[in-house]
Amino acid sequence: MAAHMRRLTHWYRAVINNNLTSLSSVRGYLSRSYSQVQTDFSSNRVRRTFTDFFHELYQHIIVPSSPVRPRGDPSLLFVNAGMNQFKPIFLGAADPRSEMATYRRVVNSQKCVRAGGKHNDLEDVGRDVYHHTFFEMLGNWSFGDYFKEEACIMAWRLLTEEYRIPPERLYVSYFAGDATSGLPADEETRHIWLSMGVPSDHLLPFGMKDNFWEMGEIGPCGPCTEIHYDHIGGRNAASLVNADSPDVVEIWNLVFMQYNREADHSLRSLPQFSVDTGMGLERLVTVLQGQRSNYDTDLFTPLLSAIQQRSNCPEYRGRTGEADVGKVDMAYRVVADHVRTLSVCIADGVYPGMSGAELVLRRILRRAVRFSTEVLQAPEGALASLVPTVAHILGDAYPELHKESDRIMDIINENEAQFLSSLKQGRRVIDRTLQRLENNDTLFPVSVAWSLHRNLGFPLDLIGLMLEEQGLSVDQRALDVLAIENENLRCQVQTSVGDTLVHLDLHSLAQLQSGEVPHTDDSPKYHYSLAQDGKYVFQPCHATVQALYCGQTLVSEVSGGQRCGVVLDRTCFYAEQGGQSHDQGYFIRDGLPDVLYPVEAVQLAGGYVVHQVTAAEVLRKGDQVQLYLDEPQRLACMVKHTATHVLNFALRQLLGSSVEQRGSHVAADRLRFDFSVKGSLSIPQLQEIERSIHNIITENKAVYIEEVPLARAKDIPGLRTVDEVYPDPVRVVSVAVPVADLYDSQTDRWTSVELCCGTHLLTTGEIGDLVIISERQMVKGISRIVAVTGDDAREAREAGQVLTQEVESLSARLATVASPSLAHANRLAKEVGILTDAVDCTPIPQWKRRELQTRLKGLQRTTNTSIRKLETKEVLMKTVNQYSDRAPGTLIMLLSHQQPSGKVLCACQVPKGFSALSASDWALTVCARLGGNAGGSATVAKGTGSGANLTEALRCAEEYAQDKTQNGC
């Protein structure tokens, strides 16, 4: 247990400091002894004390928690440590114009989720009293400012003086060194603690596993020192440190970032040392409130009480393992933990879905529903009703929980209802599968079990329990193979061109900075104008090669055929950022006008623009080059980016200001825009959005772009921002209203205004046209629009008209065919299917697609009904023929009662030459009795009627045949 928690907390990081406290004063703290832990700390007070301590005493900047969805970090499903949002600083890649680049001392409380991926606590939650999927990480950081001594002094002072934890209950571990890695023991840290008065028998060395922290397979890392707390006290508990004892637990980890783990696994000293500390709020509150379980603190007790009020179970008693009969207390902990996670994630825009973080959240929700309804026997809706309690507990620190409470409850309720419906469907699937198994089969088909898990969202452990009740099991090894194959496939799908890009490493970045290589001037990317003929003119750009990056190092030259990163002193190329694709093009070297150096990708790294190039000839540092944009590609991106802003504005006009952007991507061929909305847009809404955009385009509004201080920009009424780190100053993009006028409170013109680093048109008329070709819900509450512009939009409209005409033609042909043959009906049904595929796949206006899909579904129902009737009649007639062949000379009539229509089909056959009875008369007599009609020949006939009295119809048929036969007429 303790080992697991140590690994877990190695990911909690923070940072701190400024005014240094003298060692003598620290020794004073050690001389004070609080025999009892103070219990007057509420969780809000603990959190506030932490941030105030570093802010007021040591001049740390308080940085708000980032959302739990990582900013531009595809390696993470969720933010899982306090340091995640500061990774650009550790990697030397922070935008030098951003506030983040100025950080030296920072403190915060970060929302974290550990479920899914490498750090996954999901299945452990509930089994014990300390695992969580959502937790808060208190942290303080130093980026190239203070280091080991100051960090230790601050930590000890906070714990022993501000939180009044008895020093004799604290134990400190430090890095013992590692001969294999060539790392010496961290004697510096050991001497710091000793000089502060920490007793030597409370100071313990440990190896790489416990006291060396790494960001990942590669990247910044370093030794750490951990502070542990003895819950018992009055003894020497040194032997229990890092020994999986629940009585002695780690509470704070101080990481000293001084190395970088290279791709070859070697270690290099970092150009700038940093401090990264992390302390779990839940565990600290447990200590300060004198408890042994996180669930017995005020972070959870109101929730547990609320759960008990909604369930049919006794109150929570904190039992675990075999003592927890029926897993009731485990269920309490699962529901309490998971509803916190659901609330925080949904408030931050992560909704239950089918992939990535959304899929993990879906599993969390379904696990919570299972324990709530099955173990605690709470009614449907009980889980969502806990959200206001979560907001009451955490809302002071994270006010978005109050703001989004209603939406969070709606999403939980909708997903719960969907899951309970899936459970019923899944049980039916299991029952049908069991019926097909042989009596001696004890293994359930793996393919069915995986389908239940992957498609219906059944937790695998639930499938196992349901099968166990039937005396069956599933081949777990085969199931694991399917899970691994699915994960490998997911990873392959996620692999992108970005994995092949040339990335400047932090050592090379530091070399450029220490060599006083100025950051790339990329302002020429905005140097374009609109000529009188209506064409855009892009100004030429001449530059000098400042650096070449090849093979993970800076080089002075590259040879022909080598792939490299080229850093120029200035560039007109747009680097991928802000959701806009990078520019393409080429440059030529002075003196070699016929040799092109194609630019394959463009990236930003710490203020330097890196052009990815495969050199056509030798290229050297200091060479002069002329840059040439792929102007059509750039212009297409400008069109799509301005159109994205107009689309965002049109959505807000129609749906209200509560609409929030959840993501976007601008490419040359199309734009994508994700936004929050309760459900999918209706046909009238899609039409209205396109009309609104068309009006803005035809009015040919001016697009105003101005660079202003970030603080000033945030004062603009109605400004739309997203969760990004903005540079300072920042570019403001406004449609129709000059930026200076936006600050005027008298201005009543509501318009599109956003902070944006992208390249834009100068007037809206150049968009030409816009058509939404796709709109669908990605997950509950988040929709994605895909749109095209200009000629592509015109072609989409034309394609929509063509398909409309084809649907109308097919509909007319179906209406004119009164009694089709079965072959003809099948041909019509095939035409409906082909046309349906064309409507589904062809880029056409989405509102038109929805209209045509509705009409085609109606046509499909019509043809299917016709085919079923014809097939039944054909089958009935074939059966009559078969009976006649087996019994020549026999009069045969069959009646078939159709469900649920209630109609009766009739078919009969009379032997050839049998003059006493006509088949058509026989069928007509019987069908008339059933209120229907019939027709045919003397030998075969078919008809229909109503099944009001089928027994009477059979009697009539028999009597009619007997009468005609006996009378011979």
Side-chain angles (χ1 to χ4, degrees), residues 424-456:
K424 293 177 184 177
Q425 184 180 351
R427 288 191 176 99
R428 289 195 296 269
V429 170
I430 290 176
D431 290 341
R432 285 198 301 270
T433 306
L434 293 178
Q435 291 171 6
R436 293 196 297 268
L437 293 179
E438 299 291 336
N439 291 334
N440 57 349
D441 280 347
T442 59
L443 277 179
F444 189 79
V446 172
S447 59
V448 179
W450 180 253
S451 176
L452 288 170
H453 173 64
R454 189 70 187 90
N455 300 325
L456 290 181

Side-chain angles (χ1 to χ4, degrees), residues 164-443:
R164 306 195 297 278
I165 295 176
E168 62 270 17
R169 288 201 181 192
L170 298 177
Y171 294 79
V172 179
S173 65
Y174 68 94
F175 182 52
D178 184 76
T180 304
S181 302
L183 291 170
D186 189 4
E187 288 295 321
E188 180 185 0
T189 298
R190 174 175 173 270
H191 285 299
I192 290 169
W193 287 117
L194 288 172
S195 65
M196 288 168 54
V198 175
S200 59
D201 60 353
H202 281 228
L203 189 56
L204 311 164
F206 288 92
M208 295 284 290
K209 176 173 171 257
D210 296 303
N211 280 83
F212 194 89
W213 188 89
E214 305 198 42
M215 183 184 291
E217 296 296 327
I218 59 174
C221 55
C224 61
T225 183
E226 297 179 336
I227 302 174
H228 300 252
Y229 174 77
D230 177 17
H231 277 287
I232 305 300
R235 61 177 181 167
N236 188 309
S239 62
L240 299 179
V241 172
N242 287 339
D244 291 338
S245 170
D247 297 331
V248 179
V249 295
E250 176 216 325
I251 57 174
W252 204 346
N253 191 2
L254 284 61
V255 179
F256 306 126
M257 296 284 202
Q258 60 189 92
Y259 300 107
N260 188 69
R261 179 71 72 180
E262 302 294 313
D264 63 0
H265 303 297
S266 64
L267 292 169
R268 289 178 64 186
S269 182
L270 286 171
Q272 172 182 285
F273 289 0
S274 298
V275 174
D276 168 7
T277 86
M279 177 159 56
L281 175 69
E282 290 76 9
R283 186 174 290 189
L284 177 61
V285 171
T286 299
V287 169
L288 296 180
Q289 292 184 2
Q291 303 295 337
R292 298 296 300 275
S293 162
N294 295 356
Y295 292 91
D296 290 336
T297 68
D298 67 351
L299 287 167
F300 289 93
T301 50
L303 262 177
L304 297 173
S305 176
I307 293 169
Q308 197 276 327
Q309 293 169 16
R310 292 157 176 77
S311 73
N312 289 321
C313 292
E315 65 182 14
Y316 176 71
R317 295 174 59 187
R319 296 165 299 184
T320 60
E322 294 181 0
D324 184 17
V325 179
K327 297 185 178 179
V328 172
D329 287 346
M330 176 180 177
Y332 268 105
R333 291 187 289 269
V334 167
V335 172
D337 172 89
H338 289 7
V339 76
R340 282 167 32 110
T341 305
L342 290 165
S343 299
V344 169
C345 287
I346 294 171
D348 280 350
V350 183
Y351 296 173
M354 292 301 293
S355 64
E358 287 79 8
L359 178 59
V360 174
L361 197 65
R362 179 173 178 250
R363 290 173 178 162
I364 290 172
L365 186 143
R366 293 186 165 200
R367 190 169 187 255
V369 169
R370 281 178 50 215
F371 278 96
S372 176
T373 58
E374 295 178 9
V375 181
L376 298 177
Q377 300 174 14
E380 185 175 343
L383 185 64
S385 72
L386 299 171
V387 172
T389 307
V390 175
H392 172 73
I393 298 170
L394 300 176
D396 286 352
Y398 312 112
E400 62 271 16
L401 290 170
H402 289 300
K403 177 185 175 185
E404 302 291 344
S405 272
D406 289 343
R407 183 162 58 91
I408 296 168
M409 288 190 285
D410 287 345
I411 290 171
I412 291 176
N413 277 330
E414 289 169 6
N415 279 272
E416 179 180 29
Q418 186 181 49
F419 179 47
L420 294 176
S421 174
S422 295
L423 281 178
K424 293 177 184 177
Q425 184 180 351
R427 288 191 176 99
R428 289 195 296 269
V429 170
I430 290 176
D431 290 341
R432 285 198 301 270
T433 306
L434 293 178
Q435 291 171 6
R436 293 196 297 268
L437 293 179
E438 299 291 336
N439 291 334
N440 57 349
D441 280 347
T442 59
L443 277 179

Side-chain angles (χ1 to χ4, degrees), residues 521-577:
D521 173 15
D522 62 352
S523 61
K525 67 188 178 187
Y526 300 127
H527 294 172
Y528 52 87
S529 57
L530 196 56
Q532 289 185 347
D533 61 0
K535 294 182 179 179
Y536 277 84
V537 178
F538 296 88
Q539 294 183 13
C541 183
H542 194 266
T544 302
V545 176
Q546 292 199 111
L548 295 167
Y549 182 74
C550 185
Q552 299 292 304
T553 186
L554 294 173
V555 296
S556 59
E557 71 173 56
V558 293
S559 304
Q562 278 191 291
R563 198 156 178 253
C564 63
V566 181
V567 177
L568 306 173
D569 64 333
R570 62 198 307 266
T571 183
C572 58
F573 281 83
Y574 184 87
E576 179 139 7
Q577 58 180 320

Side-chain angles (χ1 to χ4, degrees), residues 428-613:
R428 289 195 296 269
V429 170
I430 290 176
D431 290 341
R432 285 198 301 270
T433 306
L434 293 178
Q435 291 171 6
R436 293 196 297 268
L437 293 179
E438 299 291 336
N439 291 334
N440 57 349
D441 280 347
T442 59
L443 277 179
F444 189 79
V446 172
S447 59
V448 179
W450 180 253
S451 176
L452 288 170
H453 173 64
R454 189 70 187 90
N455 300 325
L456 290 181
F458 261 56
L460 291 175
D461 59 340
L462 177 60
I463 296 172
L465 290 172
M466 294 174 71
L467 294 177
E468 189 179 324
E469 293 171 359
Q470 304 288 337
L472 299 173
S473 61
V474 67
D475 186 338
Q476 189 60 48
R477 183 173 296 178
L479 205 56
D480 291 342
V481 169
L482 285 175
I484 292 170
E485 289 176 351
N486 182 72
E487 179 65 17
N488 290 340
L489 180 62
R490 184 184 67 81
C491 292
Q492 289 171 12
V493 170
Q494 289 180 344
T495 300
S496 65
V497 178
D499 297 329
T500 65
L501 296 179
V502 175
H503 296 277
L504 274 179
D505 68 281
L506 62 88
H507 293 290
S508 298
L509 280 169
Q511 258 184 278
L512 291 175
Q513 291 160 357
S514 63
E516 297 184 351
V517 175
H519 294 131
T520 308
D521 173 15
D522 62 352
S523 61
K525 67 188 178 187
Y526 300 127
H527 294 172
Y528 52 87
S529 57
L530 196 56
Q532 289 185 347
D533 61 0
K535 294 182 179 179
Y536 277 84
V537 178
F538 296 88
Q539 294 183 13
C541 183
H542 194 266
T544 302
V545 176
Q546 292 199 111
L548 295 167
Y549 182 74
C550 185
Q552 299 292 304
T553 186
L554 294 173
V555 296
S556 59
E557 71 173 56
V558 293
S559 304
Q562 278 191 291
R563 198 156 178 253
C564 63
V566 181
V567 177
L568 306 173
D569 64 333
R570 62 198 307 266
T571 183
C572 58
F573 281 83
Y574 184 87
E576 179 139 7
Q577 58 180 320
Q580 180 176 327
S581 295
H582 61 77
D583 281 338
Q584 297 173 8
Y586 63 93
F587 55 76
I588 60 174
R589 204 180 89 199
D590 287 5
L592 285 176
D594 298 326
V595 178
L596 307 184
Y597 293 79
V599 175
E600 302 160 2
V602 189
Q603 303 166 272
L604 264 179
Y608 297 101
V609 177
V610 184
H611 307 73
Q612 183 170 298
V613 171

Side-chain angles (χ1 to χ4, degrees), residues 803 806-807 810 813 825-842 849 852-853 856-857 859-860 863-864:
L803 287 172
E806 291 187 20
V807 171
L810 180 57
R813 283 190 287 130
N826 277 320
R827 283 197 299 272
L828 289 173
K830 186 175 181 180
E831 284 189 56
V832 173
I834 292 171
L835 199 48
T836 298
D837 289 342
V839 168
D840 290 346
C841 301
T842 305
R849 191 190 319 278
L852 295 180
Q853 286 172 334
L856 286 166
K857 284 178 182 176
L859 296 180
Q860 192 73 63
T863 56
N864 287 345

Side-chain angles (χ1 to χ4, degrees), residues 47-58 62 107:
R47 187 190 297 110
R48 188 172 57 251
T49 298
F50 186 89
T51 54
D52 287 351
F53 174 82
F54 287 102
H55 176 63
E56 295 172 3
L57 297 181
Y58 297 104
I62 299 177
V107 63

